[in-house]
């Protein structure tokens, strides 16, 4: 009985061992290799038949590729020319762009209105990324966006060429985008405009596009792309993996390339290029003329990319075995390095010395380096966060101390407003209402950030009160696009700047008669940043004072805090500190002045 049990136990153990081997990683890896190898053989056989068919249709693919590419570029260029035509035929624009009696202040309103019409007519241009600018060279004052004065030397030279033939085109290299920019230009005459009876006048407009985006090939078969100037043979755009030597050979054979344009043949021409290793590589070349601009699109196809045979199959087989071997070795190395990182992460919250990085340039080494940087950074961030919270608590405490029974003051101001209304003092009602809104806005501690629109409403109330106080002794302009109204900014960030303009910019001048005091507030978005400017035409400051002011607000955080405490300032230094706390030390205030008597521009970035 015992012998039988031992025999059954051995049999059961052998089956258990075999079952364990079948479920082991080693068996699964061998099975995976066998399946992948068999699948590769089958796919290789099928691939041979497929490649025969592909080689038969290869010429059609080349022809379709060049036609699709040329048509796509031609459609884009045609849309630009169409857009310029639509703009040039707009009657409202034609009635204004030839005028020479428009002042700079009138141009601000006119440019906004006409710019909106231009944007409505050409909105589809900016759905793609290649359009850089759309400019109209007119007799109006320049606004730096849509309208440019035509009296410049370069503009005059361009206009003379456009009188001979319109449209015209040219290209120039941009150091910013590191690519060529293509400019299309068309003439605009004053026929059928309000200035048509005075005599012929000519304006023109340009659309500048980025060649790197305009000529970028679409998805499809892989090919080398070139766009060449037919007059000079220069390469305006290229996207290829060829060496500089091969590219020079293409320029030398440009005359042969242009012959392919005459018949629009669907049969590719053969072109031989010598690489840096002196090896001759044969390419199939297709070329097409680009409409409206004297350029040629050239596509080079490497026929070896679509060839197959037994050599490819054998190479794939060896690559498969090599990949399996590398998979095993790399997995062992990967796990060994990963375990070190896991051990370090397990001890991350312990007070242990920071160890040396594991080394290397792979993703694990990068993770390890970032982990070490995180450990070093955490203590710094804790200290900075603590300091920021203490500053916020101090500011909140000071704000609370200044808010003595706000509801009582609200009710008192409303009572005064009601009494003034009963007595018919409408100006007093408006002034008290503005003051009440300002007090409610400044004493609301529930929000540290507000929208740009809310902040501008508060500034409007402030300026209204000042205009009543000084009997309209100044003018102001809020030049802000409504699209920016929803941008968030720190609360009460603009009022100190505006107050500074009255205190220092218009110092002791508010009671003088006949003074043209102006305040201009603008906002624009550059990249991901909102830039707000407060401009006055006050007394300005000297260059020495400007350097001293810029130096004081650019000091480290600790010194700025000391200066605020020493001077009791809630003005420019306070604004500078708040911007730094919210957005970082690279942001803050900038000051621009051309000297005494020439005003000051304060920019919040």
């Amino acid at each position: 009985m015992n012998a039988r049990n031992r025999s059954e136990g051995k049999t059961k153990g052998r089956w258990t061992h075999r079952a364990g081997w079948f479920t082991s990683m080693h068996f699964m890896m061998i099975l995976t290799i066998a399946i992948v190898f068999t699948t590769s053989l089958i796919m290789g056989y099928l691939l041979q038949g497929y490649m025969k068919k592909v080689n038969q249709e290869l010429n059609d693919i080349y022809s379709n590729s060049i036609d699709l590419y040329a048509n796509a570029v031609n459609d884009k260029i045609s849309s630009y020319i169409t857009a310029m035509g639509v703009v040039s035929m707009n009657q409202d624009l034609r009635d204004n762009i030839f005028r020479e009696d428009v002042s700079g202040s009138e141009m601000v309103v006119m440019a906004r209105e006409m710019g909106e019409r231009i944007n409505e007519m050409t909105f589809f241009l900016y759905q793609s990324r290649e359009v850089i600018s759309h400019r109209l060279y007119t007799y109006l004052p320049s606004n730096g966006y849509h309208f440019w004065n035509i009296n410049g030397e370069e503009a005059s030279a361009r206009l003379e060429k456009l009188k001979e033939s319109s449209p015209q085109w040219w290209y120039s290299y941009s150091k910013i985008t590191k690519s060529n920019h293509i400019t299309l230009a068309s003439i605009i005459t004053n026929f059928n405009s309000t200035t048509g009876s005075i005599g012929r006048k000519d304006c023109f407009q340009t659309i500048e596009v980025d060649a790197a985006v305009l000529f970028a090939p679409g998805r499809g078969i892989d090919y080398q792309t070139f766009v060449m100037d037919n007059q000079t043979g220069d390469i305006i755009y290229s996207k290829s993996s060829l060496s500089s030597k091969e590219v020079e050979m293409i320029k030398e054979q440009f005359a042969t390339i242009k012959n392919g344009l005459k018949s629009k043949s669907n049969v590719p021409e053969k072109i031989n290029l010598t690489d840096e290793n002196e090896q001759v590589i044969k390419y199939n070349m297709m070329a097409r003329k680009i409409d409206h601009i004297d350029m040629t699109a050239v596509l080079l196809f490497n026929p070896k990319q679509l060839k197959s045979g037994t050599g490819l199959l054998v190479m794939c087989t060896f690559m498969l075995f090599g990949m399996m071997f590398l998979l095993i070795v790399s997995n062992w190395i990967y796990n060994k390095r990963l375990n070190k990182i896991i051990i370090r992460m397990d001890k991350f919250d312990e007070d242990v010395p920071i160890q040396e990085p594991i080394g290397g340039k792979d993703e694990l080494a990068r993770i390890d380096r970032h982990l070490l940087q995180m450990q070093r950074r955490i203590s710094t961030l804790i200290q900075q966060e603590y300091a920021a919270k203490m500053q916020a608590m101090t500011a909140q405490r000071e704000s609370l101390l200044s808010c003595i029974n706000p509801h009582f003051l609200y009710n008192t101001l409303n009572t005064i407003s009601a009494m003034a209304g009963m007595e018919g003092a409408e100006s007093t009602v408006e002034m008290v209402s503005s003051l009440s809104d300002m007090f409610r806005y400044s004493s609301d501690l529930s929000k540290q950030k507000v929208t740009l629109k809310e902040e501008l409403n508060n500034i409007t109330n402030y300026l209204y009160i000042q205009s009543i106080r000084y009997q309209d002794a100044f003018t102001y302009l809020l030049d802000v696009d409504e699209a920016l109204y929803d941008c968030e900014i720190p609360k009460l960030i603009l009022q100190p700047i505006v107050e500074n303009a009255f205190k220092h910019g218009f110092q002791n001048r508010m009671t003088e008669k006949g003074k043209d005091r102006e305040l201009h507030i603008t906002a624009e978005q550059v990249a991901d940043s909102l830039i707000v400017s407060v401009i006055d035409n006050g007394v300005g400051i000297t260059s020495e004072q400007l350097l001293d002011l810029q130096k004081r607000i650019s000091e480290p955080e600790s010194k700025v805090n000391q200066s605020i405490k020493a001077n009791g300032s809630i003005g420019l230094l306070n604004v500078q500190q708040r911007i730094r706390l919210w957005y970082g030390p690279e942001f803050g205030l900038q000051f621009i002045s051309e000297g005494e008597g020439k005003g000051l521009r304060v920019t919040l970035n």
Side-chain angles (χ1 to χ4, degrees), residues 3-23:
R4 182 178 179 182
N5 289 338
R6 286 194 297 270
S7 177
E8 290 178 354
K10 291 180 180 179
T11 304
K12 185 177 180 180
R14 285 195 295 269
W15 280 108
T16 303
H17 177 72
R18 292 175 181 175
W21 188 84
F22 283 121
T23 58

Side-chain angles (χ1 to χ4, degrees), residues 63-122:
S63 178
N64 290 336
S65 297
I66 186 63
D67 289 338
L68 288 173
Y69 178 77
N71 291 337
V73 174
N74 288 334
D75 290 343
K76 291 181 181 180
I77 296 175
S78 297
S79 68
Y80 305 148
I81 295 177
T82 301
M84 289 193 294
V86 171
V87 172
S88 64
M89 295 303 295
N90 183 272
Q91 191 63 42
D92 290 338
L93 290 173
R94 294 166 61 84
D95 289 343
N96 287 285
I97 61 178
F98 297 97
R99 295 175 56 188
E100 300 183 36
D101 58 344
V102 177
S103 65
S105 59
E106 291 176 332
M107 185 60 189
V108 174
V109 179
M110 185 181 298
R112 184 185 303 117
E113 294 176 354
M114 292 193 294
E116 290 177 355
R117 294 193 184 96
I118 294 173
N119 291 333
E120 291 174 357
M121 291 183 286
T122 62

Side-chain angles (χ1 to χ4, degrees), residues 245-256:
K245 180 179 180 180
E246 292 173 303
V247 173
E248 288 298 323
M249 293 183 67
I250 293 175
K251 294 178 64 175
E252 294 174 358
Q253 301 184 46
F254 183 57
T256 304

